[in-house]
Every structure is written in C-alpha cells, then in structure tokens.
Amino acid sequence: MLWSLIKIIVFAVLVAALAYGFGFLIESDGTGLAQAQITLMGVEYTLSPVMLVLVLIVSVVALYLLFKLAGFLVALLRWINGDETAISRYFDRNRERKGYQALSEGMMALASGEGQLAMAKAKKANKYLHKPELTDLITAQGAEMVGDSQKAEEVYKRLLQDERTRFVGVRGLMKQKLDSGDTDTALKLAERAFAIKPKHGEVGDTLLRLQAESKDWGGARKTLSTKLKNGALPRDVFKRRDAVLALSNAIEIKDSDESAAAAEAAIAANKASPDLVPAAALAARGFIEQNRKRNAIKVIKKTWAVHPHPDLAAAFAAIEPNETPEARLKRFDPLLKILPEDRETKLLKAELHLAAEDFPGARRALGDLIENDPDARVLAIMAAVERGEGAPDTVVRGWLAKAVTAPRGPQWVCENCNTIHAEWAPLCSSCSAFDTLEWTSPPQSEVVLPAGANMLPLIVGALEDKSEDSPADIIVANPDLEDGAETAPETVEAEVIEDAETVEEPVPAGQK
C-alpha cells in the first residue's frame, strides 16, 4: 500500500514538472529569449524553444528507426546469402528479451515467496521463449509454494519426458510423495533419482533414511558404498554409518532367534567402529555365546577406554554370571583401572561394592559425585549405602526424595531434536534422523517438578520424625507462601512417600 502511494506521488510530480516545462517553453516562444539558429546547406533556420524540443524528439525517433532498419537490412542480406533463420531471429530478439525478463521476474517472485506471481511470470516467459525446461520448474515450485500439489505433480511429470530435466522431475515427485506420507513410492523414486545423480547429497541422504526406515539394511549399505565411491561421503563417516547399519541388521537377526548370524554381524559392526557402544556390547555377548571369553573381554576393554557405558559393564558381568560378588569385584578391577576418574567408572565401582556389602567402600567409590554431579542414580546409591550402614529411615527417605527430584543422568538423546530414547536405535523416533543418538545428559530434565520440590527431603525427614505425633501437629514452612504463612502437609505426605518409594535401588553389577 505504501509503495503504491509513493509511485502515485512520483508520477504526479513528473507530470507536473513536464507541464511546467512545456508551459515555460510556450510562454517564452516568440519573445526572442532562448532561440536557436541552425544553418543547413546555406539556409539559416531560427527555432523557437518549442520547435527545438520537437526537433530533438523527432531526431531521436528517427535515429531509433534508422538503427532498426539497418538491423533488418543486415538480416535480409544474411537471408539472401543462405541464412534461412536470419529474419526470424531478427524478429525473435524482442520476444526473447521479453521472455527472459519475465523469467527473471518469475525467479525473483519465487525468492520472495510469491507463488502465484511466479506461476504467472513463468507462463508469460514460456509464451515468448518456448522453453518448458526452464519455465516448468518455476511453475512447479510456485505451485508447491501456494499449496497446489496437484498442479506441481502434473508439471513434474512433464519434466520426466525430457532427459535434461528428468532428475528434477523425479526429485520433485519424491518430495511430493514424502509430504503426502507415501514412503513406499518415495523410496522407489529416491532410488531412481540416486541412480541418475549418485553424487547428489540430499537425494542420497533421503534414500538412506527411507531404506533404514524400511529396514533394508543391505540396500542402505550399498547406498553408503556408492556415496563413498563418488566422494560424497568421508571415509570415517562411512565407517561409522556402515557399522550402525551392520549393528541394526544384527539386532534384527537377533530378534529372529538367529543368534549365530547376529553375533557375526555384531562383531563385524564392532570391528568397523570400535567406539559404537551397542555394537561392542552385542559383539561381546556374541563372543560369550561362542565361549570366546577373551575376545569378549578385549572388545569391552577397548570400547570402555573410549566410552564407558552401563551396557558394557553388564556384558562384562555376563562373562562369569555365577561368580560371587567378591570375585566379581576382583575381576572387574582391570576394567575399573582403565579410566578411574570417569563418572561411569565410579558408579560401577560403587555398585560392585554394594553387591559385596562393602558400604564404606561404595561411599568412597562415589567420591565427589555427591557434591558435584548428583543425579538420580548417584542419590539412589547413597540411599542404599545409608540403609546398609544402618542409618535411620529418615536419612534413607531423604536421599530417595532427592533422587525423585534429581536429573535422570545420561541417556540416549537425539542430538538433532533432543528426544530421549530408552534404548539405542539407528533412527530417531521423533525426527527420523539417522545415527543421531548420543549417550549424554538431556539439556533439561524430562520431569518437571513444582518450584518447592527442593523441600522434599526436609518434608520427608520432618514427617518421619513426627510420625508418632498427631498429623495435626505437623507444620511445614512453604517458601512459596508469604512470610509467616504455613501449611499443613497431610496432603503432601502421601505423595512424597509414594514418589520416594518408587525410586528403585540400583542393581549392582554383580546382580545384572
């Protein structure tokens, strides 16, 4: 609206300026002011200002016509000399100029998000240029922009008929099917597009994701190999993703009770990417089933040195499932010495001491985790330690209440959308991103508790101390209320104790 108003104002100013100029010329005509004298072939001509302006305009028009006539005569001479398209090209130049101008305006309309205008400009450009391989693409993208999927699909199908635009048509149809949820057809189109342009990164990634979603692990590995051969994928990334696909295949085989094949697939995945924790754990269990315990120990130690994880500890415990807690603590000692200051090492050591009923040792094993990194697992271990050492129930319940409100600790989190997963998977269940799950602490707790949740340990302790008194005598200060305000905790008691009792004690490594 503002731009239209500005254009109207500018137009009015120009008209007024021209009117004023012509008025000035007419008023000065015949007064002897600002006259021009021209001598042509011995004859002298005196021109008034108005006549001078008219002569200049006529001269410019005459020069323009002269150049046009000269161009036509040149084209005619070329046609006479045998150039059959010389005259047609002469008349087509203007059409091409208009066509390319409309084409550029259509591209600008697409960039500015004006789908309808882009389609109109593309239609005009096609009228002058007769190059559908250029205009159809703008039409299809404009139709997608305004939500006309039927028109876009029709145009993409036309692009399939030309070899130069076939890839664009296939890719466009693939995106159409993905948007509509037809993944089966989208997968076939992605395979066709990838066959046409195997170096295209987006198509390759889309094909890989669709193959992983359909559990076509063999096809996905072939796609990865093709991307590596064409230089579209670094070798280290290829090894990692190939190991992920091999591991996914191993998990699927394991679910179908083909343990031997699953073990071999897991071992292959571990060799390709030793730092992939699920592959190492599954490979170790495969070695255990084959009674190759040394190989299992080697695999676990190698991965533990890179990325300590509870699954590796569980696999290490499965090597000797019937040993005593004391023997297990001794057998785990070489593993614990690899990264003694790592958080997972401290927690594992504390759990092993708990299983051996060495409660002071479990407390020492936790070290500074209680003060510096107290998550639910750390606090639950402390509750078990206090109970084992004979501490009052108030102390135990206090630790359990802290565990209820504490962060859950490291979990499998998608680094793309931060979705938390209970188990590792090759694809994120939320955003379908491939190989994005990482063992880390979520950016924020998945459990949102009230603002006064930090009072839970004190509330539990107060309730336990006053358990023999009348509930009416128990008053707990609430920091969220105004100064001097108090509230009776009868309604809080049941909820707090119920939540505290739902916190499970940690399962020691010796009992896994």
Side-chain angles (χ1 to χ4, degrees), residues 286-479:
F287 282 127
I288 294 171
E289 292 176 0
Q290 299 174 9
N291 201 25
R292 299 163 62 185
K293 297 181 179 181
R294 290 185 178 179
N295 297 88
I297 295 173
K298 182 179 179 181
V299 166
I300 293 172
K301 285 184 176 181
K302 185 175 183 180
T303 306
W304 187 274
V306 179
H307 199 153
H309 193 275
D311 290 347
L312 297 176
F316 199 80
I319 296 175
E320 298 292 344
N322 299 320
E323 63 187 344
T324 62
E326 293 77 10
R328 175 157 296 177
L329 179 59
K330 183 178 180 180
R331 186 172 62 86
F332 266 76
D333 189 60
L335 185 67
L336 298 173
K337 289 181 178 179
I338 295 177
L339 293 174
E341 297 302 320
D342 185 82
R343 183 180 187 279
E344 188 60 37
T345 300
K346 294 179 179 180
L347 290 173
L348 174 59
K349 190 174 182 179
E351 291 178 344
L352 290 170
H353 280 285
L354 279 180
E357 298 185 1
D358 180 6
F359 303 110
R363 186 190 295 270
R364 289 193 300 272
L366 287 177
D368 60 350
L369 292 180
I370 303 171
E371 294 81 14
N372 299 334
D373 193 11
D375 62 9
R377 186 178 171 193
V378 172
L379 297 172
I381 291 176
M382 276 303 302
V385 169
E386 295 289 0
R387 183 178 294 276
E389 291 181 341
D393 288 345
T394 56
V395 177
V396 176
R397 289 178 181 271
W399 286 109
L400 291 176
K402 287 183 179 180
V404 170
T405 62
R408 302 299 91 177
Q411 299 173 77
W412 289 114
V413 182
C414 175
E415 60 183 11
N416 188 43
C417 65
N418 293 326
T419 300
I420 300 173
H421 297 70
E423 295 180 351
W424 178 89
L427 293 174
C428 175
S429 60
S430 178
C431 65
S432 298
F434 179 74
D435 188 26
T436 57
L437 266 63
E438 183 180 0
W439 183 257
T440 185
S441 297
Q444 60 183 3
S445 176
E446 68 275 19
V447 179
V448 180
L449 294 171
N454 59 341
M455 296 293 295
L456 284 176
L458 299 179
I459 293 173
V460 172
L463 292 175
E464 191 67 26
D465 291 339
K466 299 289 185 178
S467 59
E468 298 179 358
D469 298 335
S470 171
D473 297 331
I474 303 174
I475 303 298
V476 180
N478 190 336

Side-chain angles (χ1 to χ4, degrees), residues 174 187-195 197-214 216-234 237-239 241-242 245 434:
M174 177 192 73
L187 175 59
K188 296 178 181 178
L189 291 169
E191 291 174 347
R192 186 176 176 185
F194 189 69
K197 282 193 175 182
K199 293 184 179 181
H200 197 279
E202 180 196 2
V203 171
D205 293 340
T206 302
L207 175 59
L208 184 65
R209 178 174 61 83
L210 292 173
Q211 288 173 328
E213 288 180 354
S214 62
D216 181 12
W217 311 119
R221 297 184 74 175
K222 289 181 180 178
T223 301
L224 273 181
S225 299
T226 303
K227 289 170 68 69
L228 178 65
K229 291 178 182 178
N230 291 310
L233 196 68
V237 177
F238 164 77
K239 289 182 178 180
R241 294 187 175 179
D242 188 63
L245 293 172
F434 179 74

Side-chain angles (χ1 to χ4, degrees), residues 95-166:
R95 296 173 59 87
E96 287 183 357
R97 182 182 60 80
K98 292 181 179 179
Y100 282 116
Q101 182 179 356
L103 187 67
S104 63
E105 291 174 353
M107 295 176 67
M108 292 299 295
L110 274 181
S112 60
E114 300 174 282
Q116 288 288 359
L117 179 60
M119 294 170 65
K121 293 296 183 180
K123 184 177 180 180
K124 181 179 179 181
N126 189 52
K127 176 183 176 182
Y128 289 115
L129 297 177
H130 301 290
K131 291 184 177 181
E133 66 274 9
L134 296 177
T135 56
D136 279 350
L137 180 58
I138 297 179
T139 302
Q141 292 182 348
E144 286 181 340
M145 193 171 291
V146 299
D148 190 353
S149 58
Q150 184 176 359
K151 177 68 174 179
E153 184 173 348
E154 176 186 343
V155 176
Y156 282 130
K157 287 181 179 179
R158 286 207 306 265
L159 292 173
L160 296 177
Q161 301 173 4
D162 192 336
E163 185 177 355
R164 296 171 297 176
T165 59
R166 186 168 297 138

Side-chain angles (χ1 to χ4, degrees), residues 473-494:
D473 297 331
I474 303 174
I475 303 298
V476 180
N478 190 336
D480 293 332
L481 300 178
E482 297 180 359
D483 293 340
E486 294 178 336
T487 178
E490 287 89 355
T491 58
V492 180
E493 179 181 2

